[in-house]
Amino acid sequence: MTYDPSLRVLTVLELLQAREEVTGAELSRRLEVSPRTVQRYIMKLQDLGIPVEGRRGVGGAYRLKPGFRLPPLMFTGEEALSLALGLRALKQLGLHTLTPAAEAASAKLKRTLPHSLREEVQALEKAVQLDDSPWVVSTNAATLAALLRAVREAQTVDITYTSNKGAGTRRRVNVYRVMHVDGRWYAVGWCQLRQELRSFRLDRIRDLAVLDETFTPPQDFDALAHVRAHPCSQPLHDISVWLACPPEQLHGFLSVWNTDIRAEEGGTRIRCQREQLDFFAAFLLSVPCEFRVDSPPELLGAFQRLGERCHALLHTD
């Protein structure tokens, strides 16, 4: 690996920021220079006012003085671009309320960049367009932030939760994880009212309060696995259909959430659970290939209802 002199010094600073302590031997190996040259780089940082402390002798090491506040961050081109695009993509996660904060953070990021790198990032940003998906549900950033603090401190939350039928109930929940999947944010944890693990959509949470009450969360809890096995809305119909096209051609048509998709007999087998068969029937009609319904029989009734609606529409005077 080739380093110019200034990049070597910045690399030393980056390693010292990332680690509590770094040995001289490791710095020498990472930079592919002699231990004496490493000492010169350390002296250069010290000359710049950065308090690097060293331990002499065999196994000597370096560290930044505890409590030292580092100068403004320095980014590579790829790091700066990833941050800029990440800030723009917050809307894709339903966090529209963070737009002003994201714009302010983006402006601060640009001010920290050298002129040439700032122009490059701005040009790349202009070349990229991100469309808001209609399936992404807007979420209150303050609710998300409060839940994340509750997870970190293992504190119980008190919420009003609105069901899919519109009824609101007061709940106390030990939140283990917060997750984003299929366009929605979820809090997953122990519901004290129901006395079982439950998942709660953040867009249905109201009047959230973080309590002083604490709990011991389970180790290595997998929220994604739980929500896949226990979706928020209880499914009523087991669906199995075969489509006359390979799985890769269905990309973009079908949500993979709570859905099993497998290649079968030159086509694709879809198994899933849904409450609204009419919606799923309409989806199947939108897929550009032939299909066969194996179950449930009620799905055929959904197609009949859609057909009647289409017939009425086409024969309206």
Side-chain angles (χ1 to χ4, degrees), residues 83-159:
L83 288 171
L85 293 180
L87 290 169
R88 290 185 60 190
L90 284 175
K91 288 184 179 180
Q92 305 302 111
L93 296 177
L95 300 174
H96 297 77
T97 55
L98 286 182
T99 297
E103 291 175 349
S106 181
K108 290 179 181 178
L109 171 65
K110 291 182 176 69
R111 288 197 296 269
T112 68
L113 300 177
H115 179 71
S116 60
L117 185 54
R118 181 166 62 250
E119 287 188 338
E120 181 179 352
V121 169
Q122 288 175 333
L124 289 170
E125 282 185 319
K126 290 180 181 178
V128 175
Q129 289 183 294
L130 299 177
D131 185 28
D132 287 338
S133 170
W135 303 109
V136 174
V137 177
S138 181
T139 297
N140 187 298
T143 299
L144 175 60
L147 286 169
L148 292 176
R149 289 195 298 270
V151 171
R152 183 183 67 237
E153 303 297 334
Q155 291 178 274
T156 300
V157 299
D158 187 78
I159 62 173

Side-chain angles (χ1 to χ4, degrees), residues 3-263:
Y3 292 87
D4 62 44
S6 59
L7 181 56
R8 289 190 178 109
V9 176
L10 292 177
T11 301
V12 173
L13 178 58
E14 183 175 313
L15 290 170
L16 291 173
Q17 292 181 67
R19 303 268 292 280
E20 182 177 342
E21 191 174 81
V22 185
T23 66
E26 181 176 356
L27 289 172
S28 178
R29 184 175 63 255
R30 292 285 295 270
L31 299 175
E32 301 175 358
V33 298
S34 68
R36 184 177 296 276
T37 302
V38 169
Q39 292 177 3
R40 289 204 300 269
Y41 296 154
I42 295 296
M43 292 176 61
K44 179 65 174 176
L45 288 173
Q46 292 170 335
D47 290 341
L48 293 171
I50 299 174
V52 182
E53 300 177 340
R55 187 178 70 242
R56 296 181 180 276
V58 178
Y62 302 96
R63 69 171 186 174
L64 292 173
K65 182 179 179 180
F68 172 68
R69 295 181 64 85
L70 293 171
L73 296 175
M74 291 164 281
F75 300 102
T76 66
E78 289 186 349
E79 289 170 343
L81 177 61
S82 65
L83 288 171
L85 293 180
L87 290 169
R88 290 185 60 190
L90 284 175
K91 288 184 179 180
Q92 305 302 111
L93 296 177
L95 300 174
H96 297 77
T97 55
L98 286 182
T99 297
E103 291 175 349
S106 181
K108 290 179 181 178
L109 171 65
K110 291 182 176 69
R111 288 197 296 269
T112 68
L113 300 177
H115 179 71
S116 60
L117 185 54
R118 181 166 62 250
E119 287 188 338
E120 181 179 352
V121 169
Q122 288 175 333
L124 289 170
E125 282 185 319
K126 290 180 181 178
V128 175
Q129 289 183 294
L130 299 177
D131 185 28
D132 287 338
S133 170
W135 303 109
V136 174
V137 177
S138 181
T139 297
N140 187 298
T143 299
L144 175 60
L147 286 169
L148 292 176
R149 289 195 298 270
V151 171
R152 183 183 67 237
E153 303 297 334
Q155 291 178 274
T156 300
V157 299
D158 187 78
I159 62 173
T160 297
Y161 190 70
T162 304
S163 70
N164 55 4
K165 295 182 180 179
T169 57
R170 201 68 191 171
R171 311 283 187 100
R172 288 195 174 190
V173 184
N174 302 339
V175 181
Y176 300 152
R177 292 289 187 275
V178 178
M179 58 181 286
H180 182 270
V181 65
D182 202 32
R184 296 181 175 89
W185 285 94
Y186 296 87
V188 184
W190 183 262
C191 176
Q192 296 184 13
L193 177 65
R194 305 303 185 196
Q195 286 295 295
E196 62 181 354
L197 279 173
R198 286 292 182 94
S199 54
F200 302 89
R201 282 176 46 176
L202 265 63
D203 59 297
R204 293 180 176 175
I205 290 177
R206 301 289 183 272
D207 305 322
L208 183 148
V210 180
L211 308 178
D212 292 333
E213 177 184 339
T214 60
F215 60 91
T216 301
Q219 292 185 349
D220 303 321
F221 179 73
D222 191 335
L224 182 59
H226 170 75
V227 174
R228 280 176 172 165
H230 307 84
C232 293
S233 56
Q234 298 300 316
L236 299 178
H237 303 283
D238 293 318
I239 296 172
S240 178
V241 298
W242 180 86
L243 294 91
C245 62
E248 55 268 22
Q249 291 187 12
L250 294 174
H251 181 72
F253 283 96
L254 177 65
S255 169
V256 298
W257 179 245
N258 198 32
T259 302
D260 180 55
I261 304 172
R262 300 185 184 186

